[in-house]
Amino acid sequence: MAEATAAETTGTDEWQPKIVMFCCNWCSYGGADSAGMGRFQQPPTVRVIRVMCSGRMDPVFILNAFLEGADGVLFSGCHIGDCHYVNGNYKATIKYKFLKAMVNELGLEDERLKLDWISASEGERYAEVVTEFTEQIKKVGPSPLKPEGVV
Amino acid sequence: MENEEPRIGVFVCECGVNIGGYLDTQAVADYALTLPNVVHTKVNKFTCADSGQAEIQEGIREHNLNRVVVASCTPRTHEPTFRACCKEAGVNPYQFEFVNIRDQCSWIHMWDWEGATAKAKDLVRMGVARSRLLEPLEESSVPVDQNVLVIGAGVAGMQAAIDFGDMGYNVYLVEKGPSIGGRMARFDKVFPTNDCSICILGPKMVEVARNKNINIMSYSEVTDVDGFVGNFEVTVLHKPRYLDTDVCTGCGACQEVCPVELPSEFNENFGIRKAIYIPFPQAVPMRAVLDKDNCIGCKACEKACEAGAIRYDQEAIYEKLTVGVITVAVGMDAFDPLPHNNYGYGLYDNVITTMEFERLLNAAGPTGGHVVRPSDAVEPITVGFINCVGSRDVNENIYCSGGVCCMFSIKNAQLLKEKRPETNHFIFYMDIRSTMRGFEEAYNRARDLGVKFIRGKPVEITEKENGNVVVRVEDTLKGEITNVELDLLVLGTGLVPNEGINEMGAILKLPRSADGFLTELHPKLAPVDTTTDGVFVAGCAAGPRDIAYATAHGSATAGRATRLLSVGSAPIMGITARIDEDKCVVCGVCVDKCPYGVFEIVGTNGDRRINVVEALCKGCGTCVTACPTGALEQSHFKNDQVLAQVRNVFQYGGE
């Protein structure tokens, strides 16, 4: 029965972006789980990679994601002041500034990279962030860096 | 083992219909079998159940697996289960990889079968790629110091301290106020049994004082906590009482002669206290405290004190403690209706809060137990109670305070009615939440006594010239608007996080939930654990709750923490930072970036190197990202392990 329902809803040929999202273990990964527990529906465009802290998010990970074919990259951690590891999220903001500049150097649009803080209790907000970012990426279209033939 | 060719088993959980109902689990398993190094796949009805775990272990044995991938719920709840299962069957727990296809896939794409299935395949491919690179790790352990810190000496913290003390552990019970006892000491009677609050709390306070293993540190605050499970370094500030507590006998002669009169906080600012005062008649420790901000320096107390305890030049003392585990029980505050003048509070004299009413009802309170209204000190005949003040209100707090305020209003109406049968009582409510044992009976008793319940949220409060207040409300059961004139209106204020909770959360590195209270590790299955190992939370610090619940939580933290104390060691996760000294140029960036002081530069000149104190490492990985030479790696989150996931989000040409 579920299959029949799904067939009705996925009949569209609209292009779906592929988004890589880095989440810290304590807040935003928990927020993603809370979205599930609350059944907050969202487009299946995001692939989450868990690291322990947003401070672990190496610019190399994010640049690699773009080079491999990501249409957009989200990265998220605990709200400022709430970091499980004192201030890793603050350190992430420094990398974010640097990455924003790098993204432009690569010839990508600003909109393709976004940092947003999501707490473990913000399931609904998590779904909103994913949905809004997906819409934003749909507007800018497929990444010009995406290698030929990659899905 | 490290060089062994990976033999990966992938187990896909249906979780009943939670996953199986929204995506094609068999297709995911079939796809997994096409991935490099995957030699076995299986769909389980419930992978976490006994039967599912048996299927994992059978797979490990039959296919000689050295790595296991489970695609199911979330590592946040089930990783320990599967790691233990793998360990039992001879696979290193760190060569187990979790793929989240329920919380982060089937549950959020419930009407997109194909999209969810395709995403689940991507996630499994990413997990398998990471699994291939996972290395076996050994968990180490650290010794657990046998001292305990309990922060907050309300009923939850007191119960925790008693339980720890009775089990033979040395407890530091730190209380911000001058006496232990907390909120409960201020209540007149407690629902649903209407016991006298201080009559049941007093003996418990004495029990705390008498317990040889408990060091009460009243009028003290925890200002800093360093270290980690088993070895917390705690800084406690002992605020000056301006008297020697070893000499003071608590006779109260000082407060009799003190000429300065101030509103009494204990009595909710009804009644007075002096600049030097005994906190309340049952205080523990029974010692005076001098409020230096309001002292006029007349030294009358010094002359009156026969024991010679007064010390005007006393200074704050910072004390360092080492403890193995911490219970945090910092409690709550009642919602303050003053800033928004909810229901005319602060505008009209005869609108008061529940806590103020408690003190008026109390025989030891400022009016000797006579409930009088503030405008003219006359005993009221008609009294109204509004429930959900500051609770279940989109303009204040959306959460329900757990029925605590419902029961307060019911109890208080009942008590005054019993004391003075000529009085009339109205309770304005949205829903009565009398959910716990004995609560419904108490509600029925109030109705039998003649307390009138009006279902509706008052829309307007006006004051008449004689000080009476008129409540305008729609009685939603009758469907009519009524105006009820009252002599006294009592606001059933909800429970809000303690004003110091953000600071305490920051000191202990505990997250707060959207409602502002501390977050438990898991709301159902780990309700007193926190995300900081060795730190436990009790009572209203983690949400609105009643006395029975708070007391049970206090005991629960002692029970949970004793697992660590009695074994004497705590496991340290294997996900710590490691250094490759051949690559390290001793630049010291990691020393600055690490919030835990894991790294230190040792040696001089040519012998300089970075020393890594692994026990201090909490595994955030920030140092790895900062290291300019790539000398640092975080075990289990190595660069190539994460990059393998990144690369496998994508594939050429689809399946």
Side-chain angles (χ1 to χ4, degrees):
Chain A
M1 185 194 139
E3 224 162 341
T5 322
E8 285 159 28
T9 53
T10 52
T12 117
D13 288 335
E14 194 193 359
W15 172 71
Q16 293 292 331
K18 215 164 203 185
I19 294 158
V20 178
M21 181 167 185
F22 295 91
C23 287
C24 81
N25 181 64
W26 304 99
C27 291
S28 41
Y29 194 88
D33 283 348
S34 294
M37 281 200 259
R39 309 296 192 275
F40 295 113
Q41 302 300 300
Q42 49 195 282
T45 47
V46 165
R47 307 289 178 266
V48 170
I49 294 172
R50 178 173 70 118
V51 286
M52 293 309 284
C53 178
S54 53
R56 175 71 182 97
M57 286 169 205
D58 200 314
V60 171
F61 299 162
I62 287 163
L63 296 175
N64 252 276
F66 280 122
L67 293 174
E68 294 289 333
D71 298 303
V73 175
L74 268 170
F75 82 109
S76 180
C78 309
H79 288 275
I80 293 291
D82 283 353
C83 180
H84 184 75
Y85 300 104
V86 187
N87 54 13
N89 50 2
Y90 171 72
K91 289 162 190 156
T93 60
I94 300 168
K95 291 179 201 112
Y96 180 65
K97 278 186 198 152
F98 160 77
L99 275 162
K100 271 287 188 195
M102 285 293 285
V103 164
N104 289 335
E105 292 283 314
L106 286 170
L108 292 171
E109 299 83 348
D110 258 357
E111 295 93 317
R112 293 194 190 274
L113 175 65
K114 189 179 179 191
L115 167 116
D116 211 328
W117 310 126
I118 301 169
S119 83
S121 58
E122 293 176 326
E124 189 167 12
R125 214 178 90 74
Y126 177 91
E128 283 165 14
V129 168
V130 165
T131 307
E132 278 165 24
F133 191 68
T134 301
E135 287 309 311
Q136 184 175 316
I137 297 299
K138 277 185 183 173
K139 277 193 198 123
V140 278
S143 164
L145 290 185
K146 195 188 281 278
E148 190 92 19
V150 158
V151 290
Chain B
M1 185 126 177
E2 265 178 69
N3 298 323
E4 226 178 343
E5 179 71 9
R7 294 180 60 80
I8 305 173
V10 178
F11 298 86
V12 182
C13 181
E14 290 186 338
C15 195
V17 294
N18 284 308
I19 299 171
Y22 306 105
L23 59 84
D24 190 340
T25 46
Q26 191 57 52
V28 173
D30 292 346
Y31 171 70
L33 203 52
T34 67
L35 298 168
N37 299 106
V38 175
V39 295
H40 175 61
T41 62
K42 186 153 185 70
V43 175
N44 318 106
K45 196 83 190 157
F46 291 98
T47 312
C48 64
D50 267 358
S51 55
Q53 292 195 45
E55 285 171 346
I56 294 176
Q57 297 188 337
E58 204 177 287
I60 292 172
R61 280 190 297 271
E62 284 183 11
H63 299 273
N64 197 22
L65 305 176
N66 52 24
R67 283 165 173 77
V68 170
V69 174
V70 170
S72 62
C73 45
T74 169
R76 284 166 55 93
T77 56
H78 280 65
E79 192 168 65
T81 308
F82 294 124
R83 278 187 172 169
C85 169
C86 288
K87 194 177 175 185
E88 266 179 24
V91 171
N92 186 286
Y94 286 88
Q95 288 179 309
F96 160 78
E97 174 63 9
F98 213 114
V99 177
N100 185 330
I101 62 165
R102 187 188 73 179
D103 301 47
Q104 296 184 16
C105 191
S106 66
W107 275 353
I108 56 173
H109 314 303
M110 293 171 82
W111 299 287
D112 187 355
W113 180 272
E114 283 167 23
T117 306
K119 176 171 165 180
K121 286 179 186 174
D122 282 359
L123 294 173
V124 166
R125 185 175 63 241
M126 290 158 66
V128 167
R130 177 173 149 82
S131 159
R132 236 178 265 137
L133 300 173
L134 291 179
E135 293 167 358
L137 297 171
E138 295 306 321
E139 282 181 349
S140 53
S141 63
V142 289
V144 173
D145 186 280
Q146 298 291 294
N147 295 297
V148 176
L149 172 68
V150 177
I151 309 172
V155 69
M158 282 165 46
Q159 186 61 51
I162 290 170
D163 287 8
F164 279 121
D166 284 351
M167 286 188 273
Y169 300 106
N170 181 46
V171 184
Y172 302 107
L173 177 60
V174 176
E175 165 58 42
K176 187 168 66 172
S179 169
I180 64 171
R183 283 272 158 190
M184 190 180 164
R186 300 197 210 173
F187 300 150
D188 175 45
K189 296 199 166 53
V190 292
F191 58 79
T193 47
N194 295 359
D195 292 285
C196 158
S197 189
I198 199 70
C199 310
I200 55 175
L201 187 71
K204 209 178 245 310
M205 291 162 68
V206 173
E207 192 184 339
V208 172
R210 205 182 284 142
N211 195 311
K212 288 190 175 61
N213 291 328
I214 301 176
N215 301 302
I216 298 174
M217 296 180 165
S218 61
Y219 216 50
S220 300
E221 289 179 33
V222 171
T223 57
D224 192 34
V225 175
D226 255 348
F228 49 90
V229 56
N231 294 279
F232 293 106
E233 299 289 333
V234 180
T235 309
V236 178
L237 161 66
H238 300 295
K239 296 177 282 191
R241 275 177 184 255
Y242 300 103
L243 50 84
D244 187 337
T245 48
D246 292 335
V247 177
C248 173
T249 60
C251 69
C254 52
Q255 65 180 4
E256 277 167 32
V257 298
C258 178
V260 183
E261 296 190 340
L262 299 155
S264 160
E265 295 90 352
F266 183 78
N267 283 322
E268 301 290 327
N269 298 333
F270 284 138
I272 55 146
R273 67 157 170 86
K274 299 294 185 64
I276 188 164
Y277 62 106
I278 303 280
F280 55 95
Q282 300 81 2
V284 171
M286 180 61 88
R287 296 288 181 267
V289 56
L290 174 63
D291 171 4
K292 197 80 180 272
D293 292 342
N294 290 300
C295 172
I296 55 168
C298 69
K299 303 203 171 175
C301 50
E302 193 174 30
K303 288 181 204 116
C305 181
E306 285 180 19
I310 309 294
R311 304 279 183 275
Y312 293 116
D313 55 354
Q314 201 171 57
E315 285 180 5
I317 298 170
Y318 287 89
E319 187 179 357
K320 297 265 186 198
L321 307 171
T322 303
V323 299
V325 293
I326 299 174
T327 284
V328 49
V330 292
M332 51 80 182
D333 283 328
F335 172 78
D336 182 4
L338 191 58
H340 296 165
N341 298 122
N342 305 56
Y343 301 106
Y345 183 86
L347 303 176
Y348 311 137
D349 287 344
N350 294 329
V351 181
I352 64 171
T353 68
T354 301
M355 283 306 293
E356 290 164 350
F357 191 83
E358 287 285 340
R359 294 314 301 158
L360 293 178
L361 260 182
N362 191 277
T367 54
H370 295 279
V371 174
V372 294
R373 59 186 211 162
S375 70
D376 48 17
V378 168
E379 296 197 70
I381 297 295
T382 309
V383 181
F385 299 84
I386 300 178
N387 283 359
C388 302
V389 178
S391 283
R392 302 182 69 199
D393 181 342
V394 288
N395 297 315
E396 303 291 356
N397 298 299
I398 57 164
Y399 59 84
C400 169
S401 293
V404 171
C405 359
C406 285
M407 296 311 294
F408 259 119
S409 296
I410 290 170
K411 176 206 71 167
N412 286 342
Q414 196 183 332
L415 288 173
L416 187 55
K417 182 78 182 169
E418 284 170 352
K419 218 172 203 172
R420 290 177 44 226
E422 72 276 18
T423 52
N424 304 311
H425 301 271
F426 294 90
I427 293 183
F428 305 98
Y429 70 101
M430 293 199 281
D431 301 285
I432 291 293
R433 296 192 165 168
S434 54
T435 52
M436 305 300 281
R437 193 177 186 196
F439 287 13
E440 186 70 8
E441 291 86 332
Y443 172 34
N444 289 336
R445 265 201 316 276
R447 285 201 297 200
D448 291 345
L449 274 171
V451 176
K452 294 182 187 66
F453 288 81
I454 296 181
R455 186 173 182 274
K457 201 173 167 67
V459 291
E460 191 185 26
I461 313 292
T462 45
E463 189 185 37
K464 298 184 78 170
E465 269 183 22
N466 62 2
N468 284 4
V469 285
V470 180
V471 173
R472 186 170 169 81
V473 61
E474 182 190 356
D475 184 333
T476 57
L477 294 180
K478 283 188 187 159
E480 59 189 40
I481 291 173
T482 54
N483 295 301
V484 185
E485 185 173 337
L486 304 166
D487 299 322
L488 180 67
L489 176 61
V490 184
L491 304 185
T493 46
L495 276 48
V496 296
N498 188 300
E499 60 169 353
I501 204 143
N502 286 338
E503 206 185 335
M504 193 44 67
I507 288 172
L508 293 166
K509 301 175 190 78
L510 301 177
R512 270 80 73 212
S513 298
D515 57 15
F517 293 95
L518 298 178
T519 310
E520 325 86 329
L521 184 61
H522 191 281
K524 292 180 179 61
L525 300 178
V528 299
D529 293 29
T530 70
T531 48
T532 304
D533 288 343
V535 177
F536 303 87
V537 60
C540 289
R545 47 202 47 158
D546 72 350
I547 292 164
Y549 197 160
T551 310
H553 264 192
S555 284
T557 61
R560 294 290 294 162
T562 301
R563 293 172 315 132
L564 301 170
L565 293 166
S566 62
V567 173
S569 70
I572 292 291
M573 284 190 297
I575 59 170
T576 50
R578 308 275 161 100
I579 196 162
D580 179 347
E581 293 204 354
D582 291 343
K583 289 185 187 164
C584 176
V585 296
V586 203
C587 68
V589 166
C590 52
V591 180
D592 292 338
K593 294 291 176 195
C594 178
Y596 303 104
V598 170
F599 306 102
E600 51 183 356
I601 299 177
V602 290
T604 49
N605 299 328
D607 288 335
R608 275 157 52 93
R609 59 179 197 88
I610 298 281
N611 187 39
V612 183
V613 187
E614 204 189 320
L616 289 173
C617 179
K618 301 286 281 177
C620 67
T622 304
C623 57
V624 182
T625 310
C627 178
T629 63
L632 283 167
E633 275 282 23
Q634 182 186 8
S635 300
H636 207 58
F637 289 92
K638 294 177 81 164
N639 283 331
D640 60 348
Q641 292 166 346
V642 179
L643 283 171
Q645 279 178 288
V646 173
R647 291 189 182 116
N648 279 277
V649 171
F650 311 95
Q651 58 175 340
Y652 279 93
E655 292 165 39

